[in-house]
Amino acid sequence: MKIVHFSFDGKVKYGVLNGLTIQEIEDKPFRHIKLTGHYYQLEQVKLLSPCSPSKIVALGLNYHTHARELNLLVPDAPLIFLKPSTAVIGTGDNIIYPSVSARVDYEGELAVVIKKPVWRVAVKDAMDYVLGYTCFNDVTARDLQNHDKQWTRAKSFDTFAAVGPCIETELEPNNVVVETYLNGKLKQQGNTSDLIYSIPEIINFISNVMTLLPGDIIATGTPSGIGAMYPGDTVEVRIEPIGTLENPVVKNGLSKIAARV
Ligand code: MG
């Protein structure tokens, strides 16, 4: 099942996508999914980020190929960092290039969406707390990441967390191809079978640090092939069967969040 979050005629709703048709659901998709009799055509609506996380927990260095590319040792525990909820954008939204950076990179990733509150879950029970999976672009100001002693600034600009286009609930996450395209050219191609820490291990590890809430996102790390993007580029993260997360990169602009301030 593909869960989408969309706006239509000024109202924001959740629905289930079947082909090009969306069937609206009642309320949010986390507890039960109750379909309504209201239908929309995909072309009529604006897709939004498929969930509104209270936080994004992201993995650094979680693919063997990426560790080799950077000539780094495999970490002896998952390396986690946070991205703020204010960085979230959906498919089609602009990634705004900050004026203080001269090197902004794409990082295509498979993301996990949490279904219900979870704290200190065992590895064997962790998958019970997963609603589904989505595409994620962990946009990173690489020059600032290298300059600063820690990663918060580099990872946290408004528009630096692209999520979408849907939450796919029926995905086997252990053997999924994650691809990133820049202006239509393939730049990253990894398989989640190459993950250093598996999804249940990651959920176990993070939930022993912090409570995860419905809609929270775990970005599972990026495969090899990271690289720069510039204003005027279009970046896509493609994961079948989830779909394509596509975002233009622009030089100037105001995020939707900042525009409301
Ligand atoms: Mg990343």
Side-chain angles (χ1 to χ4, degrees):
M1 183 191 297
K2 286 182 162 63
I3 297 167
V4 289
H5 192 202
F6 62 98
S7 66
F8 176 78
D9 210 12
K11 294 201 174 99
V12 173
K13 304 159 189 294
Y14 284 95
V16 173
L17 179 65
N18 281 306
L20 298 174
T21 304
I22 298 167
Q23 186 171 7
E24 189 182 334
I25 62 176
E26 277 184 11
D27 200 22
K28 293 179 178 172
F30 301 106
R31 283 184 174 275
H32 312 285
I33 292 186
K34 190 167 179 196
L35 295 163
T36 71
H38 298 132
Y39 293 86
Y40 305 85
Q41 292 307 303
L42 187 56
E43 61 183 16
Q44 293 179 298
V45 309
K46 163 80 175 92
L47 287 183
L48 308 171
S49 166
C51 54
S52 302
S54 74
K55 57 190 166 296
I56 298 161
V57 190
L59 275 281
L61 209 63
N62 197 32
Y63 278 82
H64 291 285
T65 54
H66 186 44
R68 280 197 291 274
E69 160 184 69
L70 299 176
N71 226 355
L72 292 171
L73 292 173
V74 169
D76 60 5
L79 175 62
I80 59 172
F81 60 94
L82 292 173
K83 289 172 83 89
S85 60
T86 42
V88 171
I89 57 173
T91 191
D93 293 338
N94 291 333
I95 294 168
I96 301 169
Y97 213 98
S99 57
V100 292
S101 175
R103 171 72 194 251
V104 174
D105 284 6
Y106 49 80
E107 292 188 5
E109 308 192 7
L110 176 72
V112 177
V113 179
I114 295 295
K115 181 188 175 103
K116 50 191 178 182
V118 54
W119 184 67
R120 292 191 179 172
V121 68
V123 171
K124 68 178 175 53
D125 299 325
M127 298 307 279
D128 294 346
Y129 296 85
V130 174
L131 175 64
Y133 304 87
T134 190
C135 306
F136 189 81
N137 193 339
D138 174 20
V139 181
T140 303
R142 194 71 65 202
D143 50 354
L144 304 185
Q145 184 185 30
N146 292 334
H147 173 275
D148 294 354
K149 292 281 182 283
Q150 45 77 42
W151 300 1
T152 302
R153 184 166 66 132
K155 297 282 190 179
S156 300
F157 287 90
D158 280 17
T159 76
F160 269 28
V163 188
C166 68
I167 300 166
E168 173 58 72
T169 60
E170 287 146 41
L171 183 77
E172 168 48 59
N174 302 324
N175 186 16
V176 176
V177 177
V178 179
E179 294 178 324
T180 308
Y181 291 78
L182 192 68
N183 303 320
K185 288 200 183 105
L186 182 63
K187 295 289 184 180
Q188 290 189 282
Q189 187 177 53
N191 189 304
T192 54
S193 62
D194 187 44
L195 283 178
I196 295 169
Y197 293 102
S198 71
I199 289 168
E201 288 170 335
I202 294 168
I203 296 171
N204 161 260
F205 182 84
I206 296 171
S207 74
N208 273 278
V209 179
M210 64 189 91
T211 304
L212 292 165
L213 298 174
D216 279 356
I217 289 174
I218 299 172
T220 58
T222 200
S224 60
I226 57 166
M229 50 189 186
Y230 295 98
D233 288 342
T234 296
V235 62
E236 294 167 60
V237 179
R238 298 186 197 167
I239 303 173
E240 285 309 324
I242 300 167
T244 300
L245 167 69
E246 180 176 337
N247 299 96
V249 183
V250 303
K251 186 171 185 186
N252 296 306
L254 201 56
S255 71
K256 286 179 193 163
I257 296 256
R260 285 191 227 121
V261 174

